[in-house]
Structure formats: C-alpha cells, structure tokens
Amino acid sequence: MTSPLPDVRMSPAAAVGLVASREISTRVKSKAFRVSTVIMLVLIVAGILLLKLLSGGSGADQTVGYTSATAPLSAPLKAGGQAVDEKIDTVQVADEAAGRAKLADGSIDALLTGDGKSVRVQVKKDLDGKLANVLQLLSRQVAIDQQITALGGDPARFQAAVASAKFVEDQPLEQPYDYNGAQLGLGIAAGILIYLSLMINGQSVAQGVVEEKTSRVVELLLSTIKPWQLMAGKVLGIGVVGLIQMVVIGVGGLVAVTATGALPDLSLSAAVGTVIWLIVWYLLGFFMYSIVFAALGALVSRQEDVGGATMPALMFVIAGYVIGISVLPSNPGSTFVEVLSVIPVFSPTLMPIRLAMGGVPVWEAALSVVLVVLMIPGLIWLAARIYRNAVMRTGAKVKLRDALRAA
C-alpha cells in the first residue's frame, strides 16, 4: 500500500476516490494491463484484416469459356447464375483447343463445347455443384426455346413475357428488419468484447479483494474507512481501468474497419453507435457484476478458491454470451433472445449484440438500461452487507447465509 491511508475525517466520496485512484494508478502502470490491451487490440485488428482478405474477392464464383459456336449460351448462362446467387463470368476463346489449354492452366473453370444447340461442358477435373445446377437450368431453357421455335413461336418474346411476370406481395403485418452480414459480425464482436471484459475485470475485483484480505492490508484500511467505501473504490478503480482498455480497443477496431473497408455494407454511424453502446453496456455490466464479485470474493481467503466462489455469478455472464453467439447468427429475430436481453442479468452480454445488429425498438433498449440501473443500488446494499461481514474473516470459506445474517 503505497498511498497514505485516508484520514478518518474524509468524506465518503473522498475515501472512495482515494481507493479508486490507487487501483487505477497501480493497474494502469502494470505490465499485465499493457500486454493484455495490446494483445486484444492486435487480435481485433488481425480479425478485421482477415475478414477483409476473406471477403475481398469480388470476382466471379466461376469463369466459363465459350467458343463462337456456343456464344449464344453465354448471356443466358450468366442470367441463370444470377437467379441462384452464383456469379458467373464468361470469356470467349478462339476454339475448343484454346479453351482446353485455359482449363489446363486454371484460367477458366469450365468450357462450353459443341455446336450450341445443346449444353455440353468440359472441366479439368470436377464440375462445381452450383455451376452444375446453373447448367441444368440452361439446358432446360435451350430445350424450351427449341420447342417454341418448332411450334412456330418466338423464343425471345416468350422469354420477355416470362421475365415480366411478377407476383404481388401485400403489406406485411409487421415490418421486418433486414439484418446484413456486416451488422451480424459487428454484433458478435461486441458480444465477445463485453464477455471478455466482464470475465477479466470482474475476476480482477474478486482477486483483488482476496489479495488484500490474505495480506491483512484490509485490516489497516478498514480501521480508517468503511467496508462499503473500500469495496466501492475498488470496483470504481478497476472499472475505470477496464473502460480505458475498452475505449482503446473499440476506437482501434473502428479505425481499422474504416481504414480497410472490411465491412463495406456497414455505415460509419452504425459503427460509431456500436462503440458507444459497447462502452455503455460495459459500464453497466461491469458495475452490476463486479459489485457481486467483490462480495463473493470476500467469502474466501485463497486465490485458488476465487473461481468457485464467483462461478454462480459467472454462469449468467457465460450463459448470455453463449446464447447470443449461438442463436442470433441463425435467428437474428429470436423472440427468446429478445426477452432474455431485457432481463438485467443477461442484458450486458445480449443487448450489445442486438443493438449492433440493429432493429431493436427504442423502448426495449431503454427498458433494459433502466432495469439494470434500478438493480444496481439493491446489489450495492446486498454486496456491502456480505462484504462487511466476511472480509475480516480468514481461514475457511464463509458461508453466504452466515455473511448475510451476521451482525
């Protein structure tokens, strides 16, 4: 303890501030803080760059060569690909021999051969499954055109009539929200950051309590300040340190996304909004859970017992995170997740993901924040009682019911 002990005449706010400033100064200067921040930032930027590389290819899924004889099949082949969301480029070759040479060196994926009156294709080794489906559609179209011609009709007029035929969709009962891949990726990243921050910084609070308890420093501190002031200062200090880390990582990720264009479908306003909500929910989630972690940490006297003591609270953090990343990617509009995200114990891990994805009604976002804010004072009262009654008791683990009823 390098800082001077607070004077007994200090106000509660000053006492809490002194404890918090000590935590901030000690942890920010620590090598562990710097290393963990750099590692997390590097992982975020590396993930963004990898996403850019994986999604950077805007070229065709398949490239098909055609000869002068099969040229009439080129346009319908590309149109068929668009119908099944398969981008196909076509390139003309001098003749079939030249086309086979391009097949051999990998310049093209398939070659249309024959006289163009039927669909024939040659590949180097294996025919892509999606391309095979498009070619099957094309062969049927060629057969239909030939039958129309044989009956004295005009295939072009027939195709135009078919293309212009459209169904009419009535107004939906509820307005759907279009979730895109960029929003989903951003939401998952937000959930991971919140989860890691709560796990790392929340556990730090419990470990710090046990460390001071076993070193008997807490006895000196509690001779001059009240238990709740010590607990609040520790939570506040570690929370500020975590906030600094979160801001660095969030801004760094935002700069990386903007600079690389890794998520082209993501607007700058959506990215900034996600960072803001990320900070808000980190603060709400951290203070809610860390208050509990501090109280649970006071129940034990050994660092190896911290995990077991805090596991009941950690289960809610883990459950929210697992549900978010397992359900939302396949079902962004899940009613189950929507309900859980408003419940305070799950809100810090689920609501940031939903907010990043978009489509969350304003009243739901506001209600989730209000419920957490209302829950925090009750947790402070409960945790302060447990902390006050257990932090001075060393040796065997203090039972929760004993800490709650102790005078």
Side-chain angles (χ1 to χ4, degrees):
M1 183 71 176
T2 56
S3 301
L5 293 175
D7 190 276
V8 293
R9 294 170 295 179
M10 294 181 71
S11 67
V16 171
L18 184 59
V19 175
S21 63
R22 171 183 174 271
E23 291 289 342
I24 295 171
S25 175
T26 302
R27 293 180 182 274
V28 169
K29 294 178 181 178
S30 69
K31 184 178 180 180
F33 172 79
R34 296 194 297 268
V35 170
S36 63
T37 302
V38 171
I39 290 176
M40 292 178 69
L41 183 58
V42 168
L43 289 176
I44 289 293
V45 174
I48 292 172
L49 293 176
L50 180 61
L51 180 63
K52 174 64 176 179
L53 292 175
L54 293 177
S55 62
S58 57
D61 297 316
Q62 297 289 319
T63 302
V64 179
Y66 64 90
T67 62
S68 57
T70 57
L73 301 177
S74 174
L77 177 64
K78 296 177 70 173
Q82 292 178 350
V84 295
D85 198 24
E86 179 80 353
K87 187 175 182 181
I88 299 176
D89 276 352
T90 56
V91 57
Q92 185 168 5
V93 296
D95 51 36
E96 290 189 11
R100 292 189 181 95
K102 288 184 174 292
L103 276 177
D105 65 20
S107 300
I108 58 177
D109 300 297
L111 174 66
L112 293 174
T113 60
D115 56 9
K117 294 181 180 179
S118 62
V119 179
R120 296 180 58 185
V121 65
Q122 187 170 31
V123 295
K124 181 177 181 179
K125 189 174 182 179
D126 296 320
L127 180 62
D128 178 78
K130 290 186 177 180
L131 179 58
N133 293 335
V134 177
L135 290 169
Q136 181 61 35
L137 292 174
L138 177 60
S139 64
R140 291 177 181 176
Q141 187 60 56
V142 170
I144 292 174
D145 290 348
Q146 290 173 349
Q147 290 297 316
I148 292 173
T149 301
L151 294 172
D154 183 357
R157 291 182 60 187
F158 174 79
Q159 293 296 333
V162 171
S164 62
K166 297 180 179 179
F167 69 92
V168 177
E169 182 180 5
D170 290 333
Q171 193 71 18
L173 296 179
E174 295 183 8
Q175 192 65 30
Y177 189 85
D178 184 22
Y179 298 97
N180 60 47
Q183 290 174 306
L184 179 59
L186 194 65
I188 296 299
I192 292 173
L193 279 178
I194 287 287
Y195 170 73
L196 291 177
S197 296
L198 290 180
M199 292 289 286
I200 295 173
N201 295 306
Q203 286 285 77
S204 295
V205 172
Q207 291 169 353
V209 170
V210 175
E211 180 182 352
E212 291 182 347
K213 183 176 178 178
T214 54
S215 66
R216 318 298 290 190
V217 172
V218 69
E219 296 180 6
L220 297 176
L221 294 171
L222 293 182
S223 65
T224 53
I225 62 176
K226 295 180 179 180
W228 74 265
Q229 296 171 348
L230 176 59
M231 183 187 73
K234 181 172 289 294
V235 170
L236 179 61
I238 297 178
V240 171
V241 173
L243 177 61
I244 295 172
Q245 190 175 61
M246 182 67 69
V247 170
V248 171
I249 295 171
V251 173
L254 179 61
V255 171
V257 167
T258 305
T260 61
L263 298 175
D265 297 331
L266 183 68
S267 66
L268 180 60
S269 60
V272 173
T274 297
V275 173
I276 293 174
W277 275 117
L278 190 67
I279 294 172
V280 169
W281 275 109
Y282 163 74
L283 290 173
L284 292 174
F286 174 80
F287 286 116
M288 183 178 72
Y289 275 107
S290 293
I291 291 167
V292 177
F293 288 154
L296 296 178
L299 297 175
V300 297
S301 302
R302 300 186 305 169
Q303 290 289 350
E304 53 265 36
D305 295 331
V306 172
T310 58
M311 183 54 65
L314 284 175
M315 290 303 297
F316 289 104
V317 179
I318 296 172
Y321 168 72
V322 171
I323 291 172
I325 65 171
S326 60
V327 176
L328 289 177
S330 59
N331 186 13
S334 170
T335 303
F336 173 65
V337 175
E338 182 179 345
V339 173
L340 284 184
S341 66
V342 181
I343 300 175
V345 292
F346 298 111
S347 296
T349 47
L350 288 178
M351 188 56 76
I353 303 179
R354 294 188 61 218
L355 288 167
M357 292 170 60
V360 179
V362 175
W363 71 267
E364 282 189 19
L367 178 61
S368 63
V369 171
V370 169
L371 290 178
V372 172
V373 171
L374 291 177
M375 188 176 182
I376 288 177
L379 289 176
I380 292 176
W381 176 85
L382 181 64
R385 180 178 179 85
I386 297 172
Y387 185 90
R388 179 180 68 250
N389 296 329
V391 73
M392 295 291 290
R393 299 166 66 176
T394 59
K397 178 181 177 180
V398 181
K399 293 182 179 180
L400 182 59
R401 63 174 179 270
D402 293 337
L404 285 172
R405 72 184 178 209

